[in-house]
Amino acid sequence: MRSRFSPASHTARVLVRRDFLSALKGWGLYVAAFVSLLASSFILRSHLGAIKENNILISSDPLNYPLFISLVVISFYLAIISVISISREKDQGTLEVLFYGPVNCSSYLAAKYIKDMLLYLVMVGFFFVYFGAVSGFTNLAFSWSLVKAIFLSIFLVSCIVSFGLFISSLTSRMRTSIIWLVGILLVFLAVQIFHTMLISLEEEALSSSLLYLRKTLEMVSHGIGWISPFSYLNRGMQSIAIGSTLLYGMSILYSLVYSFVLLVFSVLILEAKGVRG
Amino acid sequence: MKKSSLFFTLILALLLGLLVSRGLAQAPPIREQLVYSLSVFDGKTYTKGFAPRGEDTIYLIANENNAVSIRYTLVYFWPITARYMAGFKTLNEEVEGTLELLRDGKVIRSLEKEDNVVFYPEGYFAENSKMYLHEEAHAFLQKYEYATKEYYARIDEYYEKTREYREAFEEFLESIGERRKAGEELSRTQVEAQMPKQPSPPEGVRFYTTPVAKDYILNLPQGTYQTRLRARDGTIVQDSQKNLVAFVRRRGGTIGYEITPGNRWTMKESSNDPSKTIYASGKNTLYLRPFLQDEYNDLYYKKLLDPQNVGTSERWIWVHTTPIKNALLDLLSKGKLLERIERAPYYVKQIPGPELGYEILEYKEEEFPERSPSFEGHKLEVSSVSGRGKYDFRLEKGEGEVMDGSEREILFVRKENTNLLHIISIFPLIVGVVVFIQRKRRAS
């Protein structure tokens, strides 16, 4: 156990530096950041339009919703690069070569995880610059709540990265990994939509078959609420909207536990399947 | 693959079909149910409602009188509002017995019905009311009945005086006509001075008291209880068991504002938290009504208003309780006092025509006879130019005494910079270009 989860710090550091710099030199991060901030800009534009139309808006954190939209977009990007990272190296045989050296599963996965988190920290920098500029140009307050939301987003993104790495450890081909990731996320989404649709109707309005379906979806949805990384994102943002310190703290704790559990599972699966698996 | 997607589509269509056909084809089933009829204190007044069989918990504000009765009625589900409705007009059969209150399975109180009234000191549609019990209830009802009797007596007197006035006025017109015919010259002022005075209608009864009702009165300390009805024969009435939650406010006595924008007075906003900023655009007229407010748990409070409501137990909401009437509103810009604004009555005048507009005018009794003001508030006129984008306001009571928690900030958004938002979002690409150029340079 000790050797399996040992830090293997030097190797991990080399891997992190190599992958992180490679990602920084590519266009992916910048394009994803641009798309996510552009999505925020559209939201902000309609927000300002609403203030103009309604005369007033009372809010403590008008920039939090645009941040949430940006987070969803950037999360998709990070989930995809997490899922690609291992399976591509498996696919190309790089992983096998790496494992002839002083690399083990835990150090390898830790390096991938840290690299993705560092990429997100770059994104956090972009968020601060972007929302600071937005606040300066529009007079919408850069509130303490926004800072809290950005800080919390680090933990929520950690869930998404771990989820991507977990899916990646399960599959051996890059294309399969992406199909699995997209498929699972779509299933999560479909369950969420159907469940929301059915719980909005009272029992009296439903036939017995639909009642059974609703009960089943209720259970599935409850389970998915703990599996889907986007549920953590949703819960975290809600805790800020509600202003509950307890839920905020719980959100961080749950995210850390979720990430840790998925990373441990990923290590175990990778070890069990081997570098060619 | 094609077969499976076809199968999935068919299943989905079947499910949606079932859903739609159930919703459209059937009339809502009506069932006789034992329900709790409620008249509960919501922090400022009494709200009526009922708890159907499906709602197993009743929520009440602790240490306040709340009236409860148990009745058989017809209950049906109304899909449009997704709520159970009670047909009290068709069936309203009160169940007699003793209401038992339990805590941890032990009966702590057995309640019999008590006489009660709800007293509205500023009229039925005003914001506050209070419940009175026993002799006090009868006394308040008598006070109202006496005031109403007095009012009707004054009305009779007014009609009599009006009849006398009309007769006197006709006589006066005749005498003026005769005097003019006789060659007497009378100025308008002289005619007006001799004209009989029209009597004014008497002022109505401002307060209201409900008729005396007999209900179980629940006034409980904070906590969780159970309740059930024991019939006269000693048995527990079926479906009468409910849980009771008596809750208290988390914070109280702070100041909240109801804000009415001048251009849409029906769409009111609330500013209950000093940490929340009021964002505005262009030139604005805002009418502010300050209130004392209490903070309650969202779930508990919404369930108190209607047991069928849904709420979030982690959320807290502010409830405006008592209007603050004797205070001045200070408008400041950069810490400098610009204006002290008094509370004034306003009248919303509908503008006839196809545009369905209105204007808000300062209410003066002589300009709007026999009409009441639409609302009272502090009129705040602000614009992005004079305040340079930022204002503050607060309430002042007495001489320079600022009321705690009354401070708010108004920020004017710069909508002219809206187009810059898309340009700002390009900056990660600029960073990418810089990285790319540096990489190229190093490579060369």
Side-chain angles (χ1 to χ4, degrees), chain B residues 206 345-348 363-365 368-375:
Chain B
R206 287 189 75 109
Y346 291 93
Y347 182 72
V348 182
Y363 174 84
K364 283 174 188 153
E365 210 171 345
F368 306 100
E370 295 173 41
R371 302 236 171 154
S372 308
S374 307
F375 66 91

Side-chain angles (χ1 to χ4, degrees), chain A residues 80 82-95 164 166-181 270 273-277:
Chain A
I80 286 171
S82 303
V83 102
I84 289 171
S85 59
I86 302 176
S87 44
R88 186 172 52 194
E89 289 184 351
K90 266 191 207 168
D91 216 1
Q92 293 169 346
T94 324
L95 194 61
F166 176 69
I167 298 289
S168 188
S169 69
L170 285 170
T171 52
S172 47
R173 302 261 168 224
M174 196 167 83
R175 206 166 64 179
T176 325
S177 301
I178 295 171
I179 290 169
W180 266 103
L181 180 81
L270 202 61
K273 291 183 83 173
V275 286
R276 289 176 189 170

Side-chain angles (χ1 to χ4, degrees), chain B residues 281-328:
Chain B
S281 160
K283 194 175 178 226
N284 269 36
T285 303
L286 305 173
Y287 297 88
L288 306 178
R289 298 180 68 209
F291 285 87
L292 284 176
Q293 58 181 6
D294 292 333
E295 193 185 32
Y296 290 102
N297 181 279
D298 180 74
L299 174 79
Y300 291 1
Y301 192 77
K302 284 186 178 159
K303 288 273 187 189
L304 169 126
L305 294 179
D306 181 352
Q308 294 182 67
N309 276 346
V310 283
T312 312
S313 59
E314 294 84 11
R315 197 187 285 270
W316 296 84
I317 55 163
W318 287 103
V319 177
H320 292 168
T321 54
T322 319
I324 300 170
K325 292 181 177 171
N326 306 316
L328 292 169

Side-chain angles (χ1 to χ4, degrees), chain A residues 86 105 109 162-163 165-167 169 261-271:
Chain A
I86 302 176
C105 292
L109 272 165
S162 319
F163 185 76
L165 291 173
F166 176 69
I167 298 289
S169 69
V261 169
L262 280 194
L263 285 175
V264 169
F265 273 120
S266 307
V267 170
L268 294 173
I269 291 165
L270 202 61
E271 280 190 349

